[in-house]
Amino acid sequence: GAGQRADLQRLTEAEAELQTLRHDFDQLLQRSRLQLDERERRICELETANQEAAMVQHRLAAREQTLRSRLDALQAMAPPTRLATLQRQCSDLTRRLQLAEQQRDALRAECAAAQAHAAALAKACHERQAECAALEKLIGPTGAAACRDCERPDCAGCADLCGRRVLCVGGRNQLLEQYRTVVAQCNGRFEHHDGGIEDHRQRLEVMLASADAVVCATDCVSHDAYYRTKRFCKRHAKPYVLLRNSGVSSFVRAVEQLGTAD
């Protein structure tokens, strides 16, 4: 009985030890599988990197071969020939640069001319608008009675010459009556000198001295009368307006300027 009990105890201890060994073995087997999987993954990554490195090496080898071929071709050429080739290429690039600079300068000049033309057109448009506005303001009401009964808010801004004598130097003869009407409607007195065509230039000096304001049409007047009128008005501080054309609208604009001048 004592022997059986001892054997039973040893058997129990052996079974417990066997259970412990089995648990350790399972853990060891699991760790081994994990390490094997990590090793396989690492091997795949290294193979991929190796393939990419091989492709890069292949491209570099092809590039090296191309450069070596070009270098061999250059070395095969004689030094004077290589120098001439380089000089020819440099001359071609210089010529292309000069052409580009010339085109740039031409474009800049065209742009400046276009801007100047646009500014001149804008100025002319502004002057035409001012002339049209002055003409509309003048021909809107007709007569003093119409002005008294007019309810337009801009009637108060109509030109008033206050009885001053306005001398017109030059201009178109067929428009003289219209000039005279414009001055009369603005409460002024109209006088005319043809600018040296038939009237004597000595008479121009007398008329300039007696006039209170002067309007000179630059397109229908002699050079002598134009410069005499300009110098006389500047020297005597007499109000004057130089018209760019002899149209009625330009004349109306000039009268309006004289009427609003101090």
Side-chain angles (χ1 to χ4, degrees):
Q4 289 180 355
R5 285 195 298 274
D7 293 337
L8 183 60
Q9 184 178 0
R10 284 195 299 273
L11 180 60
T12 301
E13 293 175 357
E15 288 178 355
E17 186 178 358
L18 179 61
Q19 186 68 24
T20 302
L21 292 175
R22 285 179 177 176
H23 182 267
D24 294 339
F25 179 75
D26 291 339
Q27 290 182 351
L28 180 61
L29 182 60
Q30 186 177 3
R31 287 196 300 270
S32 298
R33 288 178 179 176
L34 291 175
Q35 291 177 357
L36 183 61
D37 292 341
E38 180 66 21
R39 184 176 299 173
E40 290 293 336
R41 186 183 63 80
R42 182 62 178 167
I43 290 174
C44 291
E45 291 178 355
L46 291 176
E47 288 179 352
T48 302
N50 189 21
Q51 291 176 0
E52 293 178 355
M55 294 175 61
V56 172
Q57 183 179 4
H58 179 71
R59 289 195 298 268
L60 291 176
R63 179 63 176 171
E64 181 183 2
Q65 184 64 29
T66 302
L67 293 176
R68 286 184 178 275
S69 300
R70 294 176 62 182
L71 181 61
D72 293 340
L74 289 176
Q75 290 179 350
M77 297 172 60
T81 306
R82 283 186 292 175
L83 181 60
T85 302
L86 293 176
Q87 290 178 348
R88 185 170 59 254
Q89 293 177 355
C90 183
S91 300
D92 183 60
L93 292 176
T94 303
R95 184 172 60 255
R96 292 172 60 185
L97 178 61
Q98 292 176 352
L99 290 176
E101 290 178 348
Q102 292 176 359
Q103 293 178 356
R104 180 201 61 191
D105 295 339
L107 290 175
R108 285 182 176 176
E110 292 179 359
C111 181
Q115 291 177 351
H117 184 62
L121 290 178
K123 182 179 179 181
C125 181
H126 179 72
E127 292 178 355
R128 287 295 180 89
Q129 290 177 352
E131 292 174 0
C132 291
L135 186 60
E136 290 175 356
K137 186 184 297 184
L138 180 67
I139 67 177
T142 56
C147 284
R148 286 195 300 269
D149 299 334
C150 180
E151 298 180 355
R152 291 172 50 189
D154 57 346
C155 266
C158 293
D160 186 6
L161 297 175
C162 301
R164 288 185 294 174
R165 183 177 300 169
V166 178
L167 173 63
C168 177
V169 180
R172 302 177 187 174
N173 293 329
Q174 60 270 25
L175 298 179
L176 291 180
E177 291 303 322
Q178 298 184 32
Y179 295 163
R180 191 183 307 276
T181 302
V182 169
V183 175
Q185 288 181 357
C186 293
N187 191 20
R189 292 179 295 171
F190 178 79
E191 291 184 354
H192 177 255
H193 187 281
D194 64 2
I197 298 176
E198 295 180 0
D199 295 336
H200 197 271
R201 63 182 183 179
Q202 297 295 336
R203 185 168 177 266
L204 176 61
E205 298 286 343
V206 177
M207 297 182 71
L208 287 172
S210 62
D212 298 314
V214 179
V215 178
C216 181
T218 59
D219 60 340
C220 294
V221 69
S222 65
H223 292 285
D224 180 69
Y226 169 77
Y227 288 111
R228 279 176 173 270
T229 301
K230 190 174 182 180
R231 287 195 301 266
F232 186 90
C233 292
K234 285 186 176 181
R235 185 168 61 248
H236 295 85
K238 191 180 294 291
Y240 73 99
V241 178
L242 301 177
L243 301 181
R244 57 183 176 82
N245 60 65
S246 302
V248 177
S249 60
S250 298
F251 187 82
V252 171
R253 175 61 176 166
V255 171
E256 186 181 50
Q257 294 178 3
L258 294 175
T260 57
D262 294 335

